[in-house]
């Protein structure tokens, strides 16, 4: 038993690891609420147009939610490793931990989780974020981590992405994240425009906007791909190394981009080959409305065309006499 009960007085306690990203949770909640509201009015739509309307609703909300949510996710590139490593600086104590690296468009998350969580009289469960987005200073965040006395594995991983590191990957990842984020914001705007065009029954231009949305999404992936393939320094923990690969957000964005591409091409092709089927999908079949309009004028007469009215003999017209006041 030491004076400080086995803990080091110049290190603070472990930060609580929040279970999920609040921004992503808010976005998903908003889009799910919109979906529920539209489902409530679904029984008011008659016929097979109900199914097409529901499919358009689900696909549209899914694409918008993904394009907006991946802006704030931190798993575009992820990696895990289990290692025996030192826990604090100037201490020979070794701990068995899982070390995770999560790279997003706005920064890096480093996760440290003990096996078991409670070791050396401490709870080892950290999740530290080091941002590089606009208005954020990565090196300052790293310096604050040094001042707080974060565990050595977190500082070691975070140091690899600092601007002063000999790995020289900070600039590539930062610029790639900025350009990818800009492309995704533009894709969200074009998605909104496509939804507006479809609601106004301008299907061809709506398909063109979907193609533009797909192109912007794929460009964002290309920007991130360039940073992912830059040479990296090895992140070594004894005999094992921390390796990363594309994460869930990357693959989800790729699937959404391909979906927008297929839908945009399908709408354009159907508009040129079989426009009637495209109108049926978007519930724009106006044949019944045209019949109602044709039979609405002059119901007592067999025909109401302008030619029949002009062919009436002048003798059969009624004479109107004016009564002087």
């Amino acid at each position: 038993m030491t004076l400080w009960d086995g803990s080091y007085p110049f290190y603070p306690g472990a930060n609580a690891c929040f279970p999920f990203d609040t921004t992503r949770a808010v976005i998903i909640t908003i889009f799910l609420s919109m979906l529920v509201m539209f489902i409530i009015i679904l029984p008011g739509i008659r016929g097979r147009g109900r199914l097409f309307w529901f499919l358009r609703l689900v696909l549209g909300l899914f694409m918008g939610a993904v394009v907006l949510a991946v802006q704030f996710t931190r798993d575009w590139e992820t990696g895990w490793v289990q290692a025996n490593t030192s826990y604090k600086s100037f201490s020979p104590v070794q701990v068995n931990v899982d070390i995770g690296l999560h790279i997003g468009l706005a920064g890096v998350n480093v996760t440290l989780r003990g096996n078991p969580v409670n070791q050396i009289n401490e709870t080892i469960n950290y999740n530290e974020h080091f941002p590089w987005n606009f208005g954020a200073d990565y090196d300052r965040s790293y310096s604050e981590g040094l001042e707080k006395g974060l565990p050595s594995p977190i500082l070691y991983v975070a140091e690899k992405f600092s601007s002063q590191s000999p790995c020289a990957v900070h600039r590539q990842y930062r610029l790639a994240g900025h350009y990818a984020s800009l492309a995704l914001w533009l894709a969200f705007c074009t998605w909104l425009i496509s939804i507006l065009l479809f609601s106004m029954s301008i299907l061809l231009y709506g398909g063109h906007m979907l193609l533009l949305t797909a192109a912007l999404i794929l460009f964002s992936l290309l920007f991130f791909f360039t940073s992912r393939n830059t040479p990296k320094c090895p992140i070594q923990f004894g005999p094992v190394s921390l390796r990363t690969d594309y994460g869930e957000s990357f693959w989800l964005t790729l699937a959404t981009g391909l979906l927008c591409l297929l839908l945009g091409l399908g709408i354009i092709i159907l508009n040129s080959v079989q426009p009637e089927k495209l109108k049926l999908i978007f519930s724009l079949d106006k044949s019944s409305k045209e019949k109602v309009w044709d039979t609405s004028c002059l119901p007592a007469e067999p025909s109401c065309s302008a030619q029949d009215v002009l062919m009436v003999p002048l003798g059969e017209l009624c004479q109107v006499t004016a009564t002087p006041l």
Side-chain angles (χ1 to χ4, degrees):
M1 182 68 69
T2 63
L3 179 63
W4 303 101
D5 294 331
S7 63
Y8 298 91
F10 47 87
Y11 290 127
N15 294 332
C17 181
F18 205 65
F20 56 88
D21 186 4
T22 55
T23 305
R24 181 168 50 180
V26 169
I27 294 173
I28 294 175
T29 301
I30 292 174
F31 277 88
L32 285 179
S33 300
M34 295 173 61
L35 178 62
V36 170
M37 287 189 297
F38 283 116
I39 289 178
I40 292 175
I41 66 174
L42 185 62
I45 302 175
R46 298 179 179 178
R48 55 185 176 181
R50 180 187 304 173
L51 176 61
F52 292 134
W53 186 86
F54 181 73
L55 290 177
R56 296 198 309 269
L57 172 67
V58 172
L59 290 176
L61 291 179
F62 171 78
M63 291 184 292
V66 170
V67 172
L68 187 59
V70 293
Q71 293 267 10
F72 308 98
T73 55
R74 300 169 184 175
D75 55 352
W76 281 68
E77 184 179 348
T78 60
W80 284 92
V81 68
Q82 184 177 358
N84 290 316
T85 181
S86 61
Y87 180 56
K88 299 288 187 180
S89 301
F90 312 109
S91 172
V93 178
Q94 297 279 321
V95 292
N96 185 268
V97 291
D98 289 327
I99 307 166
L101 174 60
H102 314 278
I103 303 175
L105 301 182
V108 171
N109 266 61
V110 184
T111 303
L112 183 69
R113 188 179 305 143
N115 290 315
V117 176
N118 296 315
Q119 297 184 52
I120 59 172
N121 296 328
E122 287 194 28
T123 301
I124 304 177
N125 192 12
Y126 289 83
N127 185 17
E128 298 293 331
H129 181 61
F130 302 90
W132 57 46
N133 55 335
F134 289 111
D137 189 348
Y138 185 94
D139 292 336
R140 182 178 179 181
S141 300
Y142 176 72
S143 299
E144 291 176 353
L146 286 172
E147 294 175 0
K148 290 191 300 183
L150 293 177
S152 296
I154 294 180
L155 296 175
Y156 170 69
V157 175
E159 189 271 337
K160 297 290 184 180
F161 293 89
S162 65
S163 60
Q164 305 300 325
S165 173
C167 296
V169 296
H170 174 81
R171 185 173 182 272
Q172 288 84 349
Y173 270 100
R174 185 171 181 269
L175 290 178
H178 289 173
Y179 284 118
S181 178
L182 176 61
L184 287 174
W185 279 118
L186 291 175
F188 184 74
C189 294
T190 55
W191 170 80
L192 286 176
I193 296 174
S194 68
I195 295 297
L196 179 62
L197 291 174
F198 287 139
S199 64
M200 298 172 61
S201 303
I202 309 176
L203 305 182
L204 181 59
Y205 291 104
H208 288 161
M209 294 309 296
L210 271 184
L211 284 182
L212 182 57
T213 303
L216 290 170
I217 293 175
L218 295 178
F219 271 121
S220 69
L221 296 174
L222 181 62
F223 290 139
F224 191 80
F225 175 81
T226 57
S227 67
R228 171 70 174 81
N229 286 275
T230 54
K232 298 183 181 66
C233 294
I235 304 176
Q236 200 75 22
F237 293 94
V240 295
S241 60
L242 176 59
R243 301 182 183 274
T244 60
D245 202 353
Y246 293 117
E248 295 178 359
S249 294
F250 182 89
W251 296 116
L252 184 59
T253 307
L254 177 60
T256 305
L258 294 178
L259 178 62
C260 291
L261 181 64
L262 293 177
L263 291 177
L265 288 176
I267 290 173
I268 294 174
I269 293 174
L270 277 179
N271 184 79
S272 60
V273 177
Q274 293 181 336
E276 296 301 326
K277 288 188 176 181
L278 182 61
K279 292 180 180 179
L280 180 63
I281 294 175
F282 283 87
S283 304
L284 298 178
D285 189 9
K286 298 183 179 180
S287 58
S288 59
K289 295 182 180 180
E290 293 175 356
K291 292 179 182 178
V292 172
W293 170 258
D294 291 338
T295 58
S296 61
C297 56
L298 297 178
E301 298 292 335
S303 175
C304 62
S305 62
Q307 183 179 1
D308 294 339
V309 173
L310 293 178
M311 293 301 293
V312 175
L314 294 177
E316 297 181 4
L317 293 177
C318 297
Q319 296 182 357
V320 179
T321 58
T323 304
L325 298 176

Coordinates of all heavy atoms in Angstrom, one line a residue, residues 30-93:
I30 N -34.6 12.5 -36.2 CA -35.4 13.4 -37.1 C -35.9 12.7 -38.3 O -37.1 12.8 -38.6 CB -34.5 14.6 -37.5 CG1 -34.2 15.5 -36.2 CG2 -35.2 15.4 -38.5 CD1 -33.2 16.6 -36.5
F31 N -35.1 11.9 -39.0 CA -35.5 11.2 -40.2 C -36.5 10.1 -39.9 O -37.5 9.9 -40.6 CB -34.3 10.7 -41.0 CG -33.7 11.7 -41.8 CD1 -32.7 12.5 -41.3 CD2 -34.0 11.9 -43.2 CE1 -32.1 13.5 -42.1 CE2 -33.4 12.8 -44.0 CZ -32.5 13.6 -43.5
L32 N -36.3 9.4 -38.8 CA -37.3 8.4 -38.4 C -38.7 9.0 -38.0 O -39.7 8.5 -38.3 CB -36.8 7.6 -37.2 CG -35.7 6.6 -37.5 CD1 -35.2 5.8 -36.3 CD2 -36.2 5.5 -38.5
S33 N -38.6 10.2 -37.4 CA -39.9 10.9 -37.1 C -40.6 11.3 -38.3 O -41.8 11.2 -38.4 CB -39.6 12.1 -36.2 OG -38.9 11.8 -35.0
M34 N -39.9 11.8 -39.3 CA -40.5 12.1 -40.6 C -41.1 10.9 -41.3 O -42.2 10.9 -41.8 CB -39.5 12.7 -41.6 CG -38.9 14.1 -41.1 SD -37.6 14.7 -42.1 CE -38.4 14.8 -43.7
L35 N -40.4 9.7 -41.2 CA -40.9 8.5 -41.8 C -42.2 8.1 -41.1 O -43.2 7.7 -41.7 CB -39.8 7.4 -41.6 CG -40.2 6.0 -42.2 CD1 -40.5 6.1 -43.7 CD2 -39.1 5.0 -41.9
V36 N -42.2 8.2 -39.8 CA -43.4 7.8 -39.0 C -44.6 8.7 -39.4 O -45.7 8.2 -39.6 CB -43.2 7.8 -37.5 CG1 -44.5 7.7 -36.7 CG2 -42.2 6.7 -37.1
M37 N -44.4 10.0 -39.5 CA -45.4 10.9 -39.9 C -46.0 10.6 -41.3 O -47.2 10.6 -41.5 CB -44.9 12.3 -39.9 CG -44.7 12.9 -38.5 SD -44.4 14.7 -38.4 CE -42.8 14.7 -39.4
F38 N -45.1 10.2 -42.2 CA -45.6 9.9 -43.6 C -46.3 8.6 -43.6 O -47.3 8.4 -44.4 CB -44.5 9.9 -44.6 CG -44.0 11.3 -45.0 CD1 -42.8 11.8 -44.6 CD2 -44.9 12.1 -45.6 CE1 -42.4 13.0 -45.0 CE2 -44.5 13.4 -46.0 CZ -43.2 13.9 -45.7
I39 N -45.9 7.6 -42.7 CA -46.6 6.3 -42.7 C -48.0 6.5 -42.1 O -48.9 5.8 -42.5 CB -45.7 5.4 -41.8 CG1 -44.5 5.0 -42.6 CG2 -46.5 4.1 -41.5 CD1 -43.6 4.0 -41.8
I40 N -48.2 7.5 -41.2 CA -49.5 7.7 -40.7 C -50.5 8.1 -41.8 O -51.7 7.6 -41.7 CB -49.4 8.8 -39.6 CG1 -48.7 8.2 -38.4 CG2 -50.8 9.2 -39.1 CD1 -48.4 9.2 -37.3
I41 N -50.1 8.9 -42.7 CA -51.0 9.3 -43.8 C -51.0 8.3 -45.0 O -51.7 8.5 -46.0 CB -50.6 10.7 -44.3 CG1 -49.3 10.6 -45.0 CG2 -50.6 11.7 -43.2 CD1 -48.9 12.0 -45.7
L42 N -50.2 7.2 -44.9 CA -50.2 6.2 -45.9 C -51.5 5.6 -46.3 O -51.9 5.4 -47.4 CB -49.1 5.1 -45.6 CG -48.9 4.1 -46.7 CD1 -48.3 4.8 -47.9 CD2 -47.9 3.0 -46.1
P43 N -52.4 5.2 -45.3 CA -53.7 4.6 -45.6 C -54.6 5.5 -46.5 O -55.5 5.0 -47.1 CB -54.3 4.4 -44.2 CG -53.2 4.2 -43.3 CD -52.2 5.2 -43.8
G44 N -54.3 6.8 -46.5 CA -55.1 7.7 -47.3 C -54.9 7.6 -48.8 O -55.6 8.2 -49.6
I45 N -53.8 6.9 -49.2 CA -53.5 6.7 -50.6 C -54.1 5.4 -51.1 O -53.9 4.4 -50.5 CB -51.9 6.7 -50.8 CG1 -51.4 8.0 -50.3 CG2 -51.6 6.6 -52.3 CD1 -49.8 8.1 -50.3
R46 N -54.8 5.5 -52.2 CA -55.5 4.4 -52.7 C -54.7 3.6 -53.8 O -53.9 4.2 -54.5 CB -56.9 4.8 -53.3 CG -57.8 5.4 -52.3 CD -59.1 5.9 -52.9 NE -60.0 6.5 -52.0 CZ -61.2 6.9 -52.3 NH1 -61.6 6.9 -53.5 NH2 -62.0 7.5 -51.3
G47 N -55.1 2.4 -54.0 CA -54.6 1.6 -55.1 C -53.1 1.2 -55.0 O -52.5 1.4 -53.9
R48 N -52.5 0.8 -56.1 CA -51.1 0.4 -56.1 C -50.2 1.6 -56.0 O -49.0 1.4 -55.7 CB -50.8 -0.4 -57.3 CG -51.1 0.4 -58.6 CD -50.9 -0.5 -59.8 NE -51.3 0.2 -61.1 CZ -51.2 -0.4 -62.3 NH1 -50.7 -1.6 -62.4 NH2 -51.5 0.2 -63.3
G49 N -50.7 2.8 -56.1 CA -49.8 4.0 -55.9 C -49.3 4.1 -54.5 O -48.3 4.7 -54.2
R50 N -50.0 3.4 -53.6 CA -49.5 3.4 -52.2 C -48.2 2.8 -52.0 O -47.3 3.3 -51.3 CB -50.6 2.7 -51.3 CG -50.2 2.6 -49.8 CD -51.2 1.8 -49.1 NE -52.6 2.2 -49.2 CZ -53.6 1.6 -48.8 NH1 -53.5 0.4 -48.2 NH2 -54.8 2.1 -49.0
L51 N -48.0 1.6 -52.7 CA -46.7 0.9 -52.6 C -45.6 1.8 -53.3 O -44.5 1.9 -52.7 CB -46.8 -0.4 -53.3 CG -45.5 -1.2 -53.4 CD1 -45.0 -1.6 -52.0 CD2 -45.7 -2.5 -54.2
F52 N -45.8 2.3 -54.4 CA -44.8 3.2 -55.1 C -44.5 4.4 -54.2 O -43.3 4.8 -54.1 CB -45.3 3.6 -56.5 CG -45.3 2.5 -57.5 CD1 -46.5 2.3 -58.3 CD2 -44.3 1.5 -57.6 CE1 -46.5 1.3 -59.2 CE2 -44.4 0.5 -58.5 CZ -45.5 0.3 -59.3
W53 N -45.5 5.0 -53.6 CA -45.3 6.2 -52.8 C -44.4 5.8 -51.6 O -43.5 6.6 -51.2 CB -46.6 6.8 -52.4 CG -46.5 8.0 -51.6 CD1 -46.4 9.3 -52.2 CD2 -46.5 8.2 -50.2 NE1 -46.4 10.2 -51.2 CE2 -46.4 9.6 -50.0 CE3 -46.6 7.3 -49.1 CZ2 -46.4 10.1 -48.7 CZ3 -46.5 7.8 -47.9 CH2 -46.4 9.2 -47.6
F54 N -44.7 4.7 -51.0 CA -43.9 4.2 -49.8 C -42.5 3.9 -50.2 O -41.6 4.3 -49.4 CB -44.6 3.0 -49.2 CG -43.9 2.5 -48.0 CD1 -44.0 3.1 -46.8 CD2 -43.1 1.3 -48.0 CE1 -43.4 2.7 -45.6 CE2 -42.5 0.9 -46.9 CZ -42.6 1.5 -45.7
L55 N -42.2 3.3 -51.3 CA -40.9 3.0 -51.7 C -40.1 4.3 -52.0 O -38.9 4.4 -51.6 CB -40.9 2.1 -53.0 CG -41.3 0.7 -52.8 CD1 -41.4 -0.1 -54.1 CD2 -40.4 -0.1 -51.8
R56 N -40.7 5.3 -52.7 CA -40.1 6.5 -52.9 C -39.8 7.2 -51.6 O -38.7 7.8 -51.5 CB -41.0 7.4 -53.8 CG -41.3 6.9 -55.2 CD -41.8 8.0 -56.1 NE -42.9 8.8 -55.5 CZ -44.1 8.5 -55.7 NH1 -44.5 7.4 -56.4 NH2 -45.1 9.2 -55.1
L57 N -40.7 7.2 -50.7 CA -40.4 7.8 -49.4 C -39.3 7.2 -48.6 O -38.4 7.9 -48.1 CB -41.7 7.7 -48.5 CG -41.6 8.1 -47.1 CD1 -41.4 9.6 -47.0 CD2 -42.9 7.7 -46.3
V58 N -39.2 5.9 -48.5 CA -38.2 5.2 -47.8 C -36.8 5.4 -48.5 O -35.8 5.8 -47.8 CB -38.5 3.7 -47.7 CG1 -37.3 2.9 -47.1 CG2 -39.7 3.4 -46.9
L59 N -36.7 5.3 -49.8 CA -35.5 5.5 -50.5 C -35.0 7.0 -50.4 O -33.8 7.2 -50.1 CB -35.6 5.1 -52.0 CG -35.8 3.6 -52.3 CD1 -36.0 3.4 -53.7 CD2 -34.6 2.8 -51.8
G60 N -35.9 7.9 -50.5 CA -35.5 9.3 -50.4 C -35.0 9.7 -49.0 O -33.9 10.3 -48.9
L61 N -35.7 9.2 -48.0 CA -35.3 9.5 -46.6 C -34.0 8.8 -46.3 O -33.1 9.3 -45.5 CB -36.3 9.2 -45.6 CG -37.6 10.0 -45.6 CD1 -38.6 9.5 -44.6 CD2 -37.3 11.5 -45.3
F62 N -33.8 7.6 -46.8 CA -32.6 6.8 -46.5 C -31.3 7.6 -47.1 O -30.3 7.7 -46.4 CB -32.7 5.4 -47.1 CG -31.4 4.6 -47.0 CD1 -31.0 4.1 -45.9 CD2 -30.6 4.5 -48.2 CE1 -29.8 3.4 -45.8 CE2 -29.4 3.8 -48.1 CZ -29.0 3.2 -47.0
M63 N -31.5 8.0 -48.3 CA -30.3 8.7 -49.0 C -30.0 10.0 -48.3 O -28.8 10.3 -48.0 CB -30.6 8.9 -50.5 CG -30.7 7.7 -51.3 SD -31.0 8.0 -53.0 CE -32.6 8.6 -53.0
G64 N -31.0 10.8 -47.9 CA -30.8 12.0 -47.2 C -30.2 11.8 -45.8 O -29.2 12.5 -45.4
A65 N -30.6 10.8 -45.1 CA -30.1 10.6 -43.8 C -28.7 10.1 -43.8 O -27.8 10.5 -43.0 CB -31.0 9.5 -43.1
V66 N -28.3 9.3 -44.8 CA -26.9 8.8 -44.9 C -26.0 9.9 -45.2 O -24.9 10.1 -44.6 CB -26.8 7.6 -45.9 CG1 -25.4 7.3 -46.2 CG2 -27.6 6.4 -45.4
V67 N -26.4 10.7 -46.3 CA -25.5 11.8 -46.7 C -25.2 12.8 -45.6 O -24.1 13.3 -45.4 CB -26.1 12.5 -47.9 CG1 -25.3 13.7 -48.3 CG2 -26.1 11.5 -49.1
L68 N -26.2 13.0 -44.8 CA -26.1 14.0 -43.7 C -25.4 13.4 -42.5 O -24.5 14.0 -41.8 CB -27.4 14.5 -43.2 CG -27.5 15.6 -42.2 CD1 -26.7 16.8 -42.7 CD2 -28.9 16.0 -41.8
A69 N -25.7 12.1 -42.1 CA -25.1 11.5 -40.9 C -23.6 11.2 -41.0 O -22.9 11.3 -40.1 CB -25.9 10.2 -40.6
V70 N -23.2 10.7 -42.2 CA -21.8 10.3 -42.3 C -20.8 11.5 -42.2 O -19.6 11.3 -42.1 CB -21.5 9.6 -43.7 CG1 -22.2 8.3 -43.7 CG2 -21.9 10.5 -44.9
Q71 N -21.4 12.7 -42.3 CA -20.5 13.9 -42.0 C -19.9 13.9 -40.6 O -18.8 14.4 -40.4 CB -21.4 15.2 -42.2 CG -21.8 15.5 -43.6 CD -20.8 16.4 -44.3 OE1 -19.7 16.6 -43.9 NE2 -21.2 16.8 -45.5
F72 N -20.7 13.3 -39.7 CA -20.3 13.4 -38.3 C -19.9 12.1 -37.7 O -19.6 12.0 -36.5 CB -21.5 14.0 -37.5 CG -22.1 15.2 -38.0 CD1 -23.2 15.2 -38.8 CD2 -21.5 16.4 -37.7 CE1 -23.8 16.4 -39.3 CE2 -22.0 17.6 -38.3 CZ -23.2 17.6 -39.1
T73 N -19.8 11.0 -38.5 CA -19.4 9.7 -38.0 C -17.9 9.7 -37.9 O -17.2 10.5 -38.5 CB -19.9 8.6 -38.9 OG1 -19.4 8.8 -40.2 CG2 -21.4 8.5 -38.8
R74 N -17.4 8.8 -37.1 CA -15.9 8.7 -36.8 C -15.4 7.3 -37.1 O -14.4 6.9 -36.5 CB -15.6 9.1 -35.4 CG -16.0 10.5 -35.0 CD -16.0 10.8 -33.5 NE -16.5 12.1 -33.2 CZ -16.6 12.6 -32.0 NH1 -16.3 11.8 -30.9 NH2 -17.1 13.8 -31.8
D75 N -16.0 6.7 -38.1 CA -15.6 5.3 -38.4 C -15.4 5.1 -39.9 O -15.8 4.1 -40.5 CB -16.5 4.3 -37.9 CG -18.0 4.5 -38.3 OD1 -18.2 5.6 -39.0 OD2 -18.8 3.7 -38.1
W76 N -14.9 6.2 -40.6 CA -14.5 6.0 -42.0 C -13.3 5.1 -42.2 O -13.2 4.4 -43.2 CB -14.2 7.4 -42.6 CG -15.4 8.2 -43.0 CD1 -16.3 8.8 -42.1 CD2 -15.9 8.5 -44.3 NE1 -17.3 9.4 -42.8 CE2 -17.0 9.3 -44.1 CE3 -15.4 8.2 -45.6 CZ2 -17.8 9.8 -45.2 CZ3 -16.1 8.7 -46.6 CH2 -17.3 9.5 -46.5
E77 N -12.5 5.0 -41.2 CA -11.3 4.1 -41.2 C -11.1 3.7 -39.8 O -11.0 4.5 -38.9 CB -10.1 4.8 -41.8 CG -8.9 3.9 -41.9 CD -7.7 4.7 -42.5 OE1 -7.9 5.8 -43.0 OE2 -6.6 4.1 -42.4
T78 N -11.1 2.4 -39.5 CA -11.0 1.9 -38.2 C -10.0 0.8 -38.1 O -9.6 0.1 -39.1 CB -12.4 1.3 -37.7 OG1 -12.8 0.3 -38.6 CG2 -13.4 2.4 -37.7
G79 N -9.5 0.5 -36.9 CA -8.6 -0.6 -36.6 C -8.5 -0.9 -35.1 O -8.7 0.1 -34.3
W80 N -8.3 -2.1 -34.8 CA -8.2 -2.6 -33.4 C -7.0 -3.5 -33.2 O -6.6 -4.2 -34.2 CB -9.5 -3.3 -32.9 CG -10.6 -2.5 -32.6 CD1 -11.6 -2.1 -33.5 CD2 -11.0 -1.9 -31.4 NE1 -12.6 -1.3 -32.9 CE2 -12.2 -1.1 -31.6 CE3 -10.4 -1.8 -30.1 CZ2 -12.8 -0.4 -30.6 CZ3 -11.0 -1.1 -29.1 CH2 -12.2 -0.4 -29.3
V81 N -6.4 -3.4 -32.0 CA -5.3 -4.4 -31.7 C -5.4 -4.6 -30.2 O -5.7 -3.7 -29.4 CB -4.0 -3.8 -32.1 CG1 -3.6 -2.6 -31.3 CG2 -2.9 -4.8 -32.0
Q82 N -5.0 -5.8 -29.8 CA -4.9 -6.2 -28.4 C -3.4 -6.3 -28.0 O -2.7 -7.1 -28.7 CB -5.7 -7.5 -28.1 CG -5.7 -7.9 -26.6 CD -6.5 -9.1 -26.3 OE1 -7.1 -9.6 -27.2 NE2 -6.5 -9.5 -25.1
A83 N -3.0 -5.7 -27.0 CA -1.6 -5.7 -26.7 C -1.3 -5.5 -25.2 O -2.2 -5.0 -24.4 CB -0.9 -4.5 -27.4
N84 N -0.2 -5.9 -24.8 CA 0.4 -5.7 -23.4 C 1.3 -4.5 -23.5 O 2.3 -4.6 -24.2 CB 1.1 -6.9 -22.9 CG 0.2 -8.0 -22.5 OD1 -0.9 -7.8 -22.0 ND2 0.6 -9.2 -22.9
T85 N 1.0 -3.4 -22.9 CA 1.7 -2.2 -23.0 C 1.7 -1.4 -21.7 O 0.9 -1.7 -20.8 CB 1.1 -1.3 -24.1 OG1 1.9 -0.1 -24.3 CG2 -0.3 -0.9 -23.8
S86 N 2.6 -0.4 -21.6 CA 2.7 0.4 -20.5 C 1.5 1.3 -20.4 O 1.0 1.8 -21.5 CB 4.0 1.3 -20.5 OG 4.0 2.1 -21.6
Y87 N 1.0 1.6 -19.2 CA -0.2 2.4 -19.1 C 0.0 3.9 -18.9 O -0.6 4.7 -19.5 CB -1.0 1.8 -17.9 CG -2.3 2.5 -17.6 CD1 -3.3 2.6 -18.6 CD2 -2.6 3.1 -16.4 CE1 -4.5 3.3 -18.4 CE2 -3.8 3.8 -16.1 CZ -4.7 3.8 -17.1 OH -5.9 4.5 -16.9
K88 N 1.0 4.2 -18.1 CA 1.4 5.6 -17.8 C 2.8 5.8 -18.0 O 3.7 4.9 -18.0 CB 1.0 6.0 -16.3 CG -0.5 5.9 -16.0 CD -1.3 7.0 -16.6 CE -2.7 6.9 -16.1 NZ -3.6 8.0 -16.7
S89 N 3.2 7.1 -18.3 CA 4.6 7.4 -18.5 C 5.3 7.3 -17.2 O 4.7 7.5 -16.1 CB 4.7 8.8 -19.0 OG 4.0 9.0 -20.3
F90 N 6.6 7.0 -17.3 CA 7.5 6.9 -16.1 C 7.0 5.8 -15.1 O 7.2 5.8 -13.9 CB 7.6 8.2 -15.3 CG 7.8 9.4 -16.2 CD1 6.9 10.3 -16.4 CD2 9.1 9.5 -16.8 CE1 7.1 11.4 -17.2 CE2 9.3 10.6 -17.6 CZ 8.4 11.6 -17.8
S91 N 6.3 4.8 -15.7 CA 5.8 3.7 -14.8 C 6.1 2.4 -15.6 O 5.8 2.2 -16.8 CB 4.3 3.8 -14.6 OG 3.8 2.7 -13.9
P92 N 6.6 1.4 -14.9 CA 6.9 0.1 -15.5 C 5.7 -0.9 -15.6 O 5.8 -2.0 -16.0 CB 8.0 -0.5 -14.6 CG 7.7 0.0 -13.3 CD 7.2 1.4 -13.5
V93 N 4.5 -0.4 -15.1 CA 3.3 -1.2 -15.0 C 2.8 -1.5 -16.4 O 2.7 -0.6 -17.2 CB 2.2 -0.6 -14.1 CG1 1.0 -1.4 -14.1 CG2 2.8 -0.3 -12.7

